[in-house]
Amino acid sequence: MDAIIVNHVSKSYGRVKALDDVSFAVNKGEVFGLIGPDGAGKTSMFRILCSLLQPDTGTASIEGFDVVKQMRDVRCRVGYMPGKFSLYQDLTIEENLQFFATLFGTTVDEGYDSIKAIYSQIERFKDRKAGALSGGMKQKLALSCALVHSPNVLILDEPTTGVDPVSRKELWEMLLMLKERSITIVASTPYLDEVRCCERVAFLDHGKVRGIDTPEVILDRFKDIFNPPGIDKSEPSNVKSGKTENVIEVNHLVKAFGTFHAVDDISFSVKRGEIFGFLGANGAGKTTAMHMLTGLNQPTSGTGTVVGYDIRTQHEEIKKHIGYMSQKFSLYEDLTVAENIRLFAGIYDMNDEEIRHKTDELLERLQFAEHKNDLVGSLPLGWKQKLAFSVSIFHNPGVVFLDEPTGGVDPATRRQFWELIYDAAARGITVFVTTHYMDEAEYCDRISIMVDGKISALGTPDELKQRFNQPDMNHVFTYLARQATRSSD
């Protein structure tokens, strides 16, 4: 019997048709991928399957139960991990798990066998609040909460976005272990290595299913979307721009929280116009280091300058001369595209004439002119990310800090985003970027990799691959991250 059957499902939001006559079936115990570009309709489909949203037309069933007419039966049989972090940040690990167990009329003790293999990895931290967990630990907790009521079907909406490559691999090992228990798994993901873990995939584009087949067949058939040509990186960006002076200098920087050294004596420099990759597993210390460089946190010891300003004493000046794009989307969703641009330009004291001129220029370059009065919340994720980056450099800062800017974005859109990065670097803007996509690491001029609060490697991608005798940056990263001795919490 099929675990999931979808027949001619359509769903619209006003004039936008999110799903357009979608049909597919998933076998019991199958690992099935629902993939496609941003705004394709994947999340709407998942919410319909979980009975959180009703289709306009068509039907869907889980193990023979209609998602509209037999909603209660469906919810007992489905575990769901939504794309955005689904847990309560101010509750502890244990409290979150108890809450979700109660929602499904069970207890943690009753469901423990269903989650033991996963929950046992974080159980010793059960009194820690979810908001204080690393990405990998949040992922394990969210999966435990989705499984605590022993569902037969598990639906995962981009479960590894914002998680480092080692933790991503661990999650998929857990999912394949769940398959051995005959749990049906349906997942969306922008990572091609995860797509290849599925037995079959459906490619969804503009609300329509364009094809259903094995990952190899679909990725080859739609390679223009999933495998766009790489970016030509013939020479370092700062060489192309003719800039060679340092705009970031860090010497013996330390940040301690009690006896724990989140950042433990790091030193490096970054040149003007350089694209500098700042990598590390979740919990390695990257975000803490970036917070010190951007004036959001003060170092315990050591020195550093950013665009000539001291990070210990001139952090307010630093904030005026840098751009910043955080992991979490940094624009206001209830303002229009044009209103967001004007707001942030005003914060940086740009005059009205300059704002008008540069806004028209930016909208034309992004091909957003027809959407300048659209609410940002209505835009696809990839559009939001490109807009957020463009706004972060609107005032032409000396350095822009990008904290995992392309998380959850499809490969074609990520390539467009990196074209924007290369354009900024060519104009002399230094790009300081963290990413969990190792193909993006290949685009950087130089890379540092943090392990246990220290910089374990620093050099060009080619230098690092040669030094550690690895075929690509994914293998370099995994090799170094596996040497960590402190836990990723």
Side-chain angles (χ1 to χ4, degrees):
M1 182 180 78
D2 290 322
I4 299 172
I5 299 175
V6 176
N7 278 319
H8 305 292
V9 164
S10 295
K11 180 66 182 179
S12 295
Y13 305 99
R15 294 176 299 165
V16 178
K17 197 148 196 176
L19 296 170
D20 187 2
D21 196 28
V22 171
S23 297
F24 63 88
V26 181
N27 301 322
K28 184 175 177 58
E30 185 176 19
V31 179
F32 187 87
L34 189 62
I35 63 175
D38 303 309
K42 303 184 295 296
T43 297
S44 293
M45 189 71 255
F46 283 156
R47 290 177 65 81
I48 287 172
L49 291 176
C50 294
S51 76
L52 299 174
L53 191 67
Q54 291 192 6
D56 296 335
T57 59
T59 61
S61 63
I62 302 288
E63 296 195 323
F65 294 94
D66 187 277
V67 297
V68 175
K69 299 175 182 176
Q70 297 165 295
M71 184 184 299
R72 188 178 297 274
D73 294 295
V74 167
R75 291 182 178 178
C76 290
R77 288 164 172 78
V78 173
Y80 178 44
M81 275 181 66
K84 294 183 179 179
F85 183 43
S86 57
L87 307 176
Y88 291 91
Q89 309 244 18
D90 55 349
L91 296 184
T92 66
I93 287 177
E94 185 176 41
E95 288 168 342
N96 266 287
L97 196 58
Q98 289 172 343
F99 173 76
F100 279 90
T102 302
L103 280 182
F104 289 102
T106 186
T107 66
V108 175
D109 288 341
E110 286 180 39
Y112 193 79
D113 286 344
S114 299
I115 63 172
K116 181 178 179 181
I118 299 164
Y119 184 58
S120 61
Q121 300 178 40
I122 57 173
E123 190 170 10
R124 67 185 186 277
F125 305 109
K126 64 183 181 180
D127 295 326
R128 183 170 298 176
K129 289 188 176 181
L133 302 178
S134 70
M137 291 181 72
K138 287 178 179 177
Q139 173 196 70
K140 291 170 185 173
L141 175 57
L143 186 56
S144 297
C145 290
L147 291 169
V148 71
H149 61 296
S150 304
N152 296 329
V153 176
L154 184 61
I155 294 177
L156 310 168
D157 192 356
E158 298 188 0
T160 57
T161 295
V163 179
D164 67 79
V166 174
S167 296
R168 289 199 297 108
K169 185 176 180 182
E170 288 176 353
L171 179 98
W172 276 87
E173 288 171 351
M174 295 177 204
L175 295 181
L176 295 178
M177 175 185 67
L178 294 174
K179 172 182 164 55
E180 293 176 4
R181 289 162 40 189
S182 297
I183 293 177
T184 304
I185 297 169
V186 183
S188 65
T189 176
Y191 295 97
L192 299 191
D193 57 332
E194 295 181 4
V195 172
R196 294 187 178 97
C197 289
C198 300
E199 294 166 86
R200 288 188 305 142
V201 295
F203 174 52
L204 196 63
D205 184 30
H206 291 90
K208 289 181 175 289
V209 173
R210 305 294 183 183
I212 301 176
D213 214 312
T214 63
E216 292 76 15
V217 170
I218 294 297
L219 292 178
D220 180 66
R221 183 176 165 191
F222 301 101
K223 58 187 175 184
D224 56 324
I225 293 173
F226 293 106
N227 191 25
I231 295 175
D232 177 30
K233 194 172 78 68
S234 55
E235 60 183 352
S237 305
N238 59 297
V239 173
K240 290 181 181 179
S241 66
K243 309 291 185 180
T244 57
E245 71 270 25
N246 290 336
V247 292
I248 299 176
E249 293 186 349
V250 171
N251 291 295
H252 304 291
L253 203 61
V254 173
K255 181 62 180 180
F257 299 94
T259 59
F260 176 72
H261 285 200
V263 175
D264 192 7
D265 192 20
I266 64 172
S267 299
F268 62 91
S269 62
V270 185
K271 297 187 181 301
R272 183 172 300 280
E274 185 174 21
I275 301 174
F276 188 80
F278 200 59
L279 309 185
N282 294 112
K286 307 184 304 298
T287 299
T288 301
M290 187 179 286
H291 283 174
M292 287 188 283
L293 296 178
T294 54
L296 298 175
N297 212 331
Q298 299 301 300
T300 303
S301 62
T303 62
T305 59
V306 176
V307 289
Y309 296 103
D310 191 304
I311 64 173
R312 299 181 68 94
T313 61
Q314 296 176 293
H315 34 88
E316 291 304 319
E317 287 299 318
I318 288 173
K319 292 174 186 177
K320 295 177 185 177
H321 292 85
I322 64 171
Y324 182 70
M325 183 177 165
S326 69
Q327 274 178 304
K328 295 176 181 177
F329 181 53
S330 51
L331 300 181
Y332 291 91
E333 302 219 341
D334 55 350
L335 295 182
T336 66
V337 169
E339 288 169 342
N340 266 284
I341 295 172
R342 181 168 187 80
L343 171 65
F344 283 91
I347 290 172
Y348 287 107
D349 291 328
M350 297 174 66
N351 63 58
D352 288 346
E353 184 178 346
E354 186 181 13
I355 291 173
R356 279 195 298 271
H357 173 71
K358 293 194 70 173
T359 297
D360 291 341
E361 187 180 83
L362 173 60
L363 293 173
E364 188 67 30
R365 186 166 68 248
L366 294 179
Q367 298 181 340
F368 277 17
E370 294 182 2
H371 302 279
K372 72 176 184 177
N373 295 319
D374 291 358
L375 291 178
V376 163
S378 69
L379 301 178
L381 176 61
W383 290 30
K384 292 178 183 178
Q385 300 296 69
K386 287 188 287 187
L387 178 62
F389 173 69
S390 299
V391 168
S392 73
I393 62 169
F394 196 69
H395 59 300
N396 199 37
V399 183
V400 61
F401 291 88
L402 308 176
D403 193 0
E404 297 178 28
T406 55
V409 179
D410 65 80
T413 305
R414 287 198 294 115
R415 188 190 189 283
Q416 294 169 11
F417 189 95
W418 273 83
E419 288 172 347
L420 296 176
I421 289 178
Y422 268 63
D423 179 64
R427 286 155 40 203
I429 297 176
T430 299
V431 180
F432 189 100
V433 58
T434 72
T435 179
H436 287 320
Y437 290 98
M438 292 302 107
D439 60 326
E440 293 185 350
E442 302 274 3
Y443 293 153
C444 297
D445 298 321
R446 283 190 306 141
I447 293 166
S448 77
I449 300 178
M450 287 189 74
V451 178
D452 290 346
K454 297 180 180 291
I455 292 179
S456 290
L458 178 62
T460 68
D462 287 342
E463 287 171 351
L464 296 185
K465 286 181 284 188
Q466 185 174 2
R467 184 184 314 165
F468 296 104
N469 193 30
Q470 300 293 334
D472 53 40
M473 283 307 304
N474 187 52
H475 283 80
V476 171
F477 182 94
T478 301
Y479 172 76
L480 291 171
R482 295 286 191 194
Q483 297 177 18
T485 56
R486 73 189 192 193
S487 70
S488 64
D489 59 299

